C-alpha cells in the first residue's frame, strides 16, 4: 500500500494514453510558450497604433475649402459653452433652490417640515456597517519557481508501444534538453536582492510554495533587483552555501523569456563576475564543549555567503551520461569555503579578498538528483512538464530501482536497439549490392 506522502510525489499521470501522456502535455506547453512569445513580439512592434494614421489634407485641398465656413470648437474647449453665458439668470430661483436643498425631510412623511410641525426633531437613521470578510492576501512570491514534474518512465518494456518516446523518455533527449547535475539536497527557494539605504544590496530568501520569508534580509553581493531560483543547502549553517539553479531577473532585466541554455550560461557568467563574499567576523564563533577546560570552537554561518551555481550539461547523449552526468550523482561533491578564524590560533590564514583572517575548508555537498530542462523552453512559474526531475533514490523505498538507474537502463536499451537496427540496415544494403554485382 503506497503511503499518501509517497503517492503525492508520484507522476500525475500514467502512460496509458498518448493524449494525456507527459510527452503530449510537454509539446502542448511548448507550443503555448511559442504562441505567447510571438504575441508579445507583435505587440512590441505597435502595429495597431499606426492603423488610423493618415497623411492629412494636401495644400490643394486646403485652398478649395469654404472660407465662410463656421469653425467648429475643438473638443475639450470652453468655446461651446459661450452661448450659455448670454442667457439671463433669475437670482430668486437660485436662492430658492439653495434653500430647498438644505432643508431636511421629515422622517415619517418624507416631506419638508411645515410651519405647524417645524418643532419636530429630525431623526437620521444610520446605515448598518457591513462586516468585511477577512480575505487572505496571496503572496506575490508564492509558486514563482519553475517546479519540475517527476519524469514518467515505464519500467517494463512490454508496457511500451514499441516507438520512440513510448517508454516515457523524451524522443529528443539527446538533442533538445539541458541537464543540471548534481542537484544538491536542500530547500527550494527564491533569492530576491533589493537595494537599501544602510547597505548597497541585501537579499531575502522566500519559500517556493507560499512565498514566505525563509531567511530575512542579509548582506549580499547580488546586484539590486535580481531574482534567482535557488536551493538552500541542507547544511547551510555549517558551509554557508546557496546553490543557484536558474536566473529569473538580473539588475531589473527579465531573463525568464530566454531559452534554458542561454539562461544557464548567463547565470555562470554573471555570478563569476561577482566579488567574493566575506564571512561575518570571528566573534560569531561558538563553543561546543563547556564541561571541560579545553574549549573547541566552531563557526556557524548566520546567512549564506557562497553562491554556488549547479553545473549544467548541454551534451545529454548516452556517452555524456555515462562518463560525466551519472558519475557526478554517485558521489558527494567537495567545495572550498572560507570561514573566519582568530589569528592567534597559529594556523595558516588568508587575508586576500576578505579583509580579515580566514581559512579555507572543504564542504561536502550531498547530491539529490538530476534536473532536465527543455532547451527551447523559457522559464515559467508553477509546475511545468517542460522540466523533469529524476531523483537518485526511489520514493517507493531504497530496495526498489531508482529513477536514475531506470533512466540509464532505458537509454542503454534504446541505443542498443537503434544500433542493432542500423547494423541490420547496413547488412541488407551490402547484400543488395552483392546481389546486384
Amino acid at each position: 500500500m503506497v503511503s499518501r506522502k509517497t503517492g503525492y510525489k508520484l507522476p500525475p499521470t500514467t502512460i496509458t494514453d498518448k493524449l494525456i501522456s507527459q510527452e503530449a502535455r510537454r509539446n502542448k506547453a511548448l507550443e503555448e510558450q511559442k504562441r505567447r512569445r510571438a504575441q508579445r513580439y507583435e505587440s512590441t512592434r505597435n502595429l495597431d497604433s499606426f492603423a488610423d494614421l493618415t497623411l492629412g489634407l494636401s495644400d490643394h485641398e486646403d485652398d478649395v475649402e469654404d472660407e465662410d465656413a463656421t469653425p467648429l470648437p475643438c473638443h475639450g474647449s470652453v468655446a461651446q459653452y459661450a452661448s450659455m453665458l448670454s442667457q439671463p439668470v433669475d437670482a430668486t430661483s437660485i436662492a430658492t433652490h439653495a434653500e430647498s436643498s438644505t432643508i431636511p425631510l421629515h422622517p415619517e412623511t418624507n416631506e419638508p417640515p411645515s410651519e405647524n410641525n417645524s418643532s419636530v426633531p429630525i431623526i437620521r437613521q444610520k446605515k448598518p456597517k457591513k462586516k468585511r470578510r477577512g480575505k487572505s492576501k496571496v503572496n506575490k512570491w508564492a509558486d514563482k519557481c519553475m517546479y519540475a514534474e517527476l519524469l514518467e518512465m515505464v519500467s517494463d518494456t512490454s508496457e511500451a508501444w514499441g516507438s520512440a518516446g513510448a517508454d516515457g523518455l523524451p524522443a529528443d533527449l539527446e538533442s533538445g534538453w539541458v541537464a543540471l547535475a548534481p542537484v544538491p539536497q536542500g530547500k527550494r527557494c527564491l533569492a530576491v536582492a533589493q537595494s537599501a539605504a544602510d547597505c548597497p544590496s541585501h537579499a531575502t530568501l522566500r519559500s517556493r510554495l507560499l512565498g514566505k520569508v525563509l531567511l530575512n534580509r542579509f548582506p549580499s553581493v547580488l546586484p539590486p533587483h535580481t531574482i534567482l531560483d535557488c536551493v538552500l543547502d541542507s547544511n547551510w549553517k555549517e558551509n554557508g552555501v546557496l546553490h543557484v539553479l536558474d536566473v529569473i531577473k538580473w539588475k531589473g532585466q527579465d531573463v525568464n523569456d530566454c531559452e534554458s541554455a542561454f539562461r544557464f550560461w548567463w547565470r555562470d557568467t554573471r555570478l563569476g563576475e561577482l566579488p567574493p563574499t566575506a564571512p561575518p567576523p570571528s566573534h560569531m564563533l561558538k563553543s561546543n564543549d563547556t564541561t571541560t577546560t579545553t574549549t573547541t570552537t566552531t563557526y556557524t554561518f548566520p546567512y549564506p555567503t557562497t553562491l554556488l551555481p549547479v553545473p549544467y550539461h548541454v551534451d545529454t547523449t548516452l556517452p555524456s551520461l555515462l562518463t560525466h552526468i551519472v558519475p557526478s550523482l554517485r558521489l558527494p561533491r567537495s567545495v572550498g569555503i572560507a570561514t573566519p578564524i582568530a589569528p592567534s590560533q597559529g594556523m595558516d590564514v588568508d587575508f586576500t579578498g576578505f579583509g580579515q583572517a580566514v581559512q579555507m575548508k572543504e564542504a561536502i555537498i550531498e547530491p539529490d538528483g538530476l534536473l532536465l530542462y527543455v532547451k527551447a523552453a523559457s522559464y515559467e512559474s508553477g509546475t511545468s512538464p517542460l522540466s523533469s526531475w529524476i531523483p537518485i533514490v526511489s520514493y517507493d523505498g531504497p530496495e526498489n530501482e531508482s529513477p536514475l538507474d531506470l533512466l540509464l537502463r532505458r537509454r542503454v536499451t534504446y541505443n542498443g536497439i537503434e544500433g542493432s537496427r542500423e547494423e541490420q540496415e547496413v547488412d541488407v544494403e551490402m547484400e543488395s549490392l552483392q546481389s546486384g554485382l
Side-chain angles (χ1 to χ4, degrees):
M1 186 66 179
V2 181
S3 62
R4 181 179 180 183
K5 183 178 180 180
T6 305
Y8 172 76
K9 294 183 177 181
L10 292 178
T13 59
T14 56
I15 309 173
T16 57
D17 191 355
K18 295 182 180 181
L19 298 179
I20 61 174
S21 64
Q22 194 175 43
E23 182 73 17
R25 293 185 289 108
R26 184 182 300 119
N27 295 333
K28 183 178 179 181
L30 189 59
E31 291 297 327
E32 181 65 19
Q33 279 195 357
K34 293 180 180 179
R35 185 191 65 81
R36 292 198 302 263
R37 188 180 303 171
Q39 187 177 4
R40 286 194 300 267
Y41 175 74
E42 293 295 335
S43 62
T44 55
R45 297 176 64 186
N46 296 325
L47 296 180
D48 297 337
S49 60
F50 296 96
D52 298 333
L53 294 181
T54 59
L55 297 178
L57 299 177
S58 62
D59 297 338
H60 177 70
E61 293 175 346
D62 292 339
D63 296 337
V64 299
E65 287 184 353
D66 189 6
E67 298 180 355
D68 298 335
T70 304
L72 297 176
C74 299
H75 178 71
S77 64
V78 297
Q80 54 184 336
Y81 302 104
S83 60
M84 301 175 60
L85 298 177
S86 61
Q87 299 178 0
V89 181
D90 189 4
T92 58
S93 61
I94 297 178
T96 305
H97 177 71
E99 293 177 359
S100 60
S101 60
T102 57
I103 298 175
L105 300 179
H106 194 274
E108 298 180 357
T109 60
N110 199 19
E111 294 180 354
S114 58
E115 297 179 355
N116 299 329
N117 58 0
S118 57
S119 60
V120 178
I122 300 175
I123 302 175
R124 296 181 180 180
Q125 298 180 353
K126 296 182 179 180
K127 296 182 179 179
K129 295 183 178 180
K130 297 182 179 179
K131 295 183 179 180
R132 296 181 179 180
R133 296 181 179 179
K135 296 182 179 179
S136 58
K137 295 182 179 180
V138 179
N139 197 319
K140 69 174 184 177
W141 302 109
D143 203 17
K144 289 296 182 182
C145 292
M146 185 174 180
Y147 199 62
E149 292 184 359
L150 185 64
L151 182 62
E152 299 177 355
M153 292 180 288
V154 176
S155 58
D156 189 3
T157 56
S158 61
E159 299 179 11
W161 300 296
S163 60
D167 53 0
L169 297 181
D172 58 344
L173 180 60
E174 296 188 352
S175 59
W177 290 75
V178 182
L180 262 67
V183 178
Q185 296 180 6
K187 189 173 184 59
R188 192 77 173 267
C189 60
L190 281 178
V192 183
Q194 298 175 349
S195 59
D198 53 348
C199 60
S201 177
H202 69 271
T204 305
L205 298 186
R206 294 186 173 271
S207 62
R208 175 194 67 86
L209 187 59
L210 300 179
K212 295 183 178 180
V213 176
L214 284 180
L215 196 60
N216 213 340
R217 47 179 290 182
F218 56 89
S220 176
V221 294
L222 289 174
H225 310 292
T226 297
I227 304 175
L228 301 179
D229 186 356
C230 304
V231 174
L232 184 61
D233 193 88
S234 55
N235 299 320
W236 69 270
K237 291 186 178 181
E238 286 76 22
N239 53 36
V241 175
L242 179 65
H243 305 274
V244 181
L245 288 178
D246 211 332
V247 54
I248 305 175
K249 182 181 291 187
W250 188 270
K251 288 185 179 180
Q253 179 67 37
D254 290 329
V255 195
N256 53 359
D257 289 336
C258 302
E259 297 181 352
S260 301
F262 175 79
R263 295 198 313 271
F264 299 142
W265 171 84
W266 179 278
R267 176 202 64 180
D268 292 355
T269 303
R270 294 297 174 258
L271 291 179
E273 297 173 352
L274 298 178
T277 304
S282 57
H283 68 268
M284 303 292 295
L285 294 173
K286 296 181 180 180
S287 175
N288 281 343
D289 190 5
T290 58
T291 58
T292 61
T293 57
T294 59
T295 59
T296 59
T297 56
T298 57
Y299 181 80
T300 302
F301 286 87
Y303 52 84
T305 58
T306 302
L307 297 175
L308 191 63
V310 179
Y312 75 99
H313 309 269
V314 181
D315 185 7
T316 55
T317 58
L318 181 60
S320 179
L321 284 173
L322 295 175
T323 57
H324 297 91
I325 301 178
V326 174
S328 65
L329 295 167
R330 301 298 189 187
L331 299 175
R333 181 184 178 190
S334 179
V335 178
I337 60 172
T339 58
I341 60 171
S344 60
Q345 293 179 359
M347 303 178 64
D348 295 335
V349 296
D350 180 19
F351 293 89
T352 305
F354 297 103
Q356 61 176 329
V358 297
Q359 66 172 345
M360 301 304 297
K361 295 175 56 178
E362 294 293 329
I364 303 301
I365 308 299
E366 296 292 338
D368 193 20
L370 168 67
L371 268 177
L372 294 175
Y373 287 84
V374 177
K375 188 179 296 184
S378 58
Y379 192 95
E380 63 180 14
S381 303
T383 305
S384 173
L386 300 175
S387 179
S388 297
W389 169 245
I390 305 171
I392 60 177
V393 179
S394 176
Y395 291 128
D396 296 332
E399 65 279 358
N400 297 320
E401 184 181 20
S402 66
L404 181 62
D405 295 335
L406 178 58
L407 168 69
L408 199 59
R409 180 168 62 86
R410 296 300 299 156
R411 293 310 301 172
V412 172
T413 304
Y414 176 75
N415 283 46
I417 294 175
E418 289 296 318
S420 61
R421 288 178 180 176
E422 293 179 358
E423 293 177 358
Q424 293 176 2
E425 292 177 357
V426 171
D427 294 339
V428 171
E429 291 179 359
M430 293 297 295
E431 291 178 359
S432 62
L433 289 175
Q434 291 177 0
S435 62
L437 294 176

